[in-house]
Amino acid sequence: MKEMEMLLKTVSDGLKILAQGVRVIAERLDNFSVENRDNFSETEVETVPVRKVRRAKPSAKKAPRKAAGASKPKGKAPKPAADKVYETMNRIGRPVEIDRLTEKTGFNKKQVHNAIFKLKKQGRVENVSKGVYKTVA
């Protein structure tokens, strides 16, 4: 309790000193304006309009619009990458490395890794060694 009283007294003293400093600054400013009132005329002071600044709302990025009349070509939908990777592995018929799958499927490494992850999750593919996979019979 005594610690709290001491802290409050310290804060109070600091505020009193601060208030005295503000009074001194205000008096000096008043004196300055009285002394220099004749040096400034009303025509020299230009008023600047003040406008409120609004914060920009964060907006979600929108997908670019398609041109008018543009539509998807009709026909067969492309096979999912996982299916294409699985078919390629079946055609080869033995354990396959990631690099070989990227060559045969035309996908990049990340796409092949994602497809293999999906196939492993489905139980259609398993690891033989690091970077080498085979289909489950």
Side-chain angles (χ1 to χ4, degrees):
M1 188 70 167
K2 287 190 178 198
E3 290 178 20
M4 185 65 99
E5 287 176 6
M6 288 176 57
L7 284 172
L8 287 173
K9 184 168 176 20
T10 304
V11 170
S12 174
D13 292 343
L15 289 174
K16 286 177 186 175
I17 293 169
L18 188 61
Q20 288 173 349
V22 169
R23 277 192 215 107
V24 169
I25 291 172
E27 287 173 9
R28 287 184 183 172
L29 187 59
D30 285 339
N31 291 340
F32 178 78
S33 64
V34 168
E35 291 171 4
N36 294 309
R37 184 172 294 167
D38 298 333
N39 294 341
F40 299 105
S41 68
E42 290 295 320
T43 57
E44 290 179 20
V45 178
E46 183 180 328
T47 58
V48 178
V50 178
R51 67 172 203 204
K52 291 183 180 180
V53 178
R54 284 188 258 151
R55 275 193 178 156
K57 293 180 182 178
S59 61
K61 290 187 177 182
K62 295 180 181 177
R65 287 188 165 190
K66 292 183 180 179
S71 63
K72 291 184 179 179
K74 295 184 179 179
K76 283 187 172 180
K79 286 186 179 180
D83 290 344
K84 191 169 181 181
V85 168
Y86 185 73
E87 287 175 5
T88 305
M89 291 174 76
N90 269 339
R91 238 184 332 196
I92 294 172
R94 56 185 169 80
V96 188
E97 294 178 343
I98 295 284
D99 292 335
R100 173 104 182 195
L101 284 171
T102 58
E103 290 171 14
K104 294 290 183 179
T105 59
F107 295 137
N108 62 35
K109 272 190 171 184
K110 185 171 183 172
Q111 290 171 312
V112 172
H113 275 286
N114 288 341
I116 288 177
F117 175 79
K118 192 180 278 188
L119 292 168
K120 280 174 58 177
K121 202 171 178 182
Q122 294 170 357
R124 297 165 63 188
V125 169
E126 63 183 18
N127 270 24
V128 174
S129 63
K130 186 174 181 177
V132 181
Y133 302 89
K134 71 174 186 173
T135 58
V136 176

